[in-house]
Amino acid sequence: MVWAEGCVRNTPLSCQDKQKDGFIKFAQLKVPETKHTWVNQSMVLKECRAKCLSNCSCMAFSNTDIRGEGSDCVIWFGDLVDITKIPGGGPDLYIRMPASELCKR
């Protein structure tokens, strides 16, 4: 196991401008470890995004039911550890980014 790879934001998040933050979708991943997560089994993806955006500590969200619009909201707080690309499929992970980084994509 090599832990040398990883990434960090170019611009830190600012809780003062949390409504200006957004998310970048990363497809087909093994989601991060779930040590610091919150789960709601009745929330759809759109509601999950709004819930994450309203909390400065929220770093990412996803859903566990990946059919259609999905349900089962999962929100991660703190560092996102142990993310891996899964060839051939896996859930999408929406990682929080400051507005200045969203324009660059």
Side-chain angles (χ1 to χ4, degrees):
M1 296 166 119
V2 177
W3 302 101
E5 294 184 45
C7 59
V8 294
R9 288 181 181 80
N10 293 323
T11 306
L13 295 171
S14 171
C15 194
Q16 295 172 346
D17 293 331
K18 68 182 177 184
Q19 293 303 321
K20 292 183 181 178
D21 291 346
F23 298 91
I24 296 177
K25 176 181 169 181
F26 292 86
Q28 301 179 344
L29 297 178
K30 177 207 148 309
V31 295
E33 69 176 33
T34 57
K35 185 176 182 181
H36 301 288
T37 59
W38 176 86
V39 177
N40 181 311
Q41 294 181 326
S42 63
M43 202 178 270
V44 296
L45 195 60
K46 186 176 180 179
E47 295 168 316
C48 192
R49 181 189 189 282
K51 182 77 171 176
C52 185
L53 199 55
S54 72
N55 185 320
C56 292
S57 299
C58 177
M59 295 296 120
F61 71 93
S62 186
N63 59 20
T64 56
D65 181 359
I66 58 176
R67 297 168 291 167
E69 288 296 305
S71 62
D72 297 351
C73 172
V74 183
I75 292 177
W76 283 265
F77 302 94
D79 292 337
L80 303 175
V81 178
D82 195 23
I83 299 172
T84 304
K85 185 91 169 157
I86 299 176
D92 296 335
L93 182 67
Y94 297 83
I95 298 178
R96 187 181 201 140
M97 299 298 281
S100 62
E101 292 296 312
L102 298 172
C103 301
K104 296 177 182 178
R105 284 189 58 103

